[in-house]
Amino acid sequence: HKSDHHHHTDSKVELSSEEKLAFDGKCPYAVMSGDFHTDGVEEYKLEHGGEIYVFSSKENMGKFKKELEANISKAKYRYARGMKKD
């Protein structure tokens, strides 16, 4: 029995001025793990909620997409905290 999973299309997206590159182009999966140095690449790009997420690998993109909303929240939280230098 197949369940109705929500699928995101991996379409080629040209970055326009109104689209936002999330995490300054860092890999969201890495950011979620506390790594703010790993760059994402155009090849592994996901558009969601008006933002563009670029991943360092197909594997990381796949893992991130499994729980997309939760992972975006985790990555944004981690990124906001990590970027604040006390």
Side-chain angles (χ1 to χ4, degrees):
H1 174 68
K2 294 254 182 204
S3 61
D4 290 339
H5 278 110
H6 188 94
H7 287 282
H8 294 271
T9 55
D10 297 319
S11 56
K12 296 281 176 224
V13 183
E14 292 301 315
L15 235 58
S16 65
S17 56
E18 61 271 3
E19 288 172 324
K20 184 173 176 280
L21 189 62
F23 311 117
D24 294 319
K26 300 299 178 194
C27 174
Y29 189 80
V31 167
M32 189 175 74
S33 308
D35 170 3
F36 307 106
H37 306 291
T38 303
D39 291 317
V41 293
E42 177 109 8
E43 186 180 352
Y44 307 117
K45 181 164 52 178
L46 171 69
E47 184 178 13
H48 181 75
E51 291 188 295
I52 304 294
Y53 300 91
V54 286
F55 295 85
S56 58
S57 70
K58 185 176 183 177
E59 182 185 19
N60 284 352
M61 184 170 81
K63 287 189 234 174
F64 195 82
K65 284 168 67 176
K66 284 181 182 164
E67 293 183 41
L68 188 61
E69 294 299 335
N71 289 339
I72 287 171
S73 294
K74 284 181 205 167
K76 284 185 176 180
Y77 177 78
R78 197 47 96 74
Y79 192 72
R81 293 199 48 183
M83 291 294 105
K84 287 182 187 146
K85 303 291 179 211
D86 302 278

